Amino acid sequence: MGNSSQKEATEVCARRRNSLEIVEHSDPGVDLEKLRDFFVTKVGDLDGEMDYETFKECLPSDGPDTDEKHTRFMFRIFDEDHNGGISWLEFVSANYLLSSCATYEEKMKFAFQTYDIDRNGAISRNELLEMVNVILQGAGLSDEEAESMQKTVLHNIFEKMDSNGDNEVSYEEFQKFLVDNPEAKDVLWGW
């Protein structure tokens, strides 16, 4: 494992432990015992991992966010190390980051990592388009409205985010864009 991968794995582990501690001690909106019971019921114990099919069964079967693409997107958010399974700590971490208890900075980092599909530290136009398509599929827009929104995001938002013009968005560019344009967070992440 290279230095970069090793550093990332260490950061992921630290963030997961931190999320668990925060949820245990300060988030009245998240009942850790209920989360634990739910996870154990689905997986068998806290040492196991939830696979995609089990995760899919946990989601509501009706509603705007139940298509396959959105489900895979959500699974990828929870499966932080991308090993094909959701561990207990990943499960708690994602629930924390999707809760109102997470800080704006934590949510920004989480959103960036979600958009950085290939995990190379930058968001490409194609990655942004793929993520916007997933969000728009759950928004109940007509095809024309969704196409218009895609064009707006790609031609306006991406151009503004990519401040150095290298056709990819670094975390620093993403962060600066969201700080300068707080209304864009509703377009870029739907949670």
Side-chain angles (χ1 to χ4, degrees), residues 22-140:
I22 290 169
V23 170
E24 283 180 325
H25 296 107
S26 67
D27 190 353
V30 176
D31 185 335
L32 191 58
E33 191 171 324
K34 283 185 181 175
L35 279 178
R36 185 180 295 118
D37 290 347
F38 178 81
F39 189 86
V40 168
T41 299
K42 297 297 180 184
V43 175
D45 61 44
L46 294 178
D47 294 324
E49 292 199 338
M50 186 180 295
D51 63 19
Y52 176 74
E53 290 304 317
T54 304
F55 179 80
K56 195 164 127 176
E57 291 169 10
C58 297
L59 299 176
S61 59
D62 56 352
D65 299 337
T66 57
D67 61 87
E68 185 71 17
K69 196 169 191 174
H70 191 268
T71 303
R72 289 209 178 275
F73 165 73
M74 290 301 295
F75 184 80
R76 198 168 54 80
I77 287 174
F78 278 72
D79 182 17
E80 201 169 345
D81 62 8
H82 301 282
N83 71 345
I86 300 169
S87 71
W88 163 241
L89 290 175
E90 286 173 323
F91 187 72
V92 170
S93 180
N95 274 285
Y96 165 72
L97 289 166
L98 294 172
S99 79
S100 61
C101 194
T103 67
Y104 188 73
E105 175 71 19
E106 289 170 323
K107 286 181 181 262
M108 236 188 312
K109 283 182 182 176
F110 186 62
F112 180 83
Q113 291 167 343
T114 301
Y115 277 76
D116 181 15
I117 296 168
D118 64 9
R119 310 210 26 109
N120 70 347
I123 301 169
S124 69
R125 282 182 188 274
N126 287 339
E127 287 172 324
L128 181 63
L129 179 60
E130 184 174 335
M131 297 307 296
V132 167
N133 284 338
V134 169
I135 291 169
L136 292 176
Q137 283 178 344

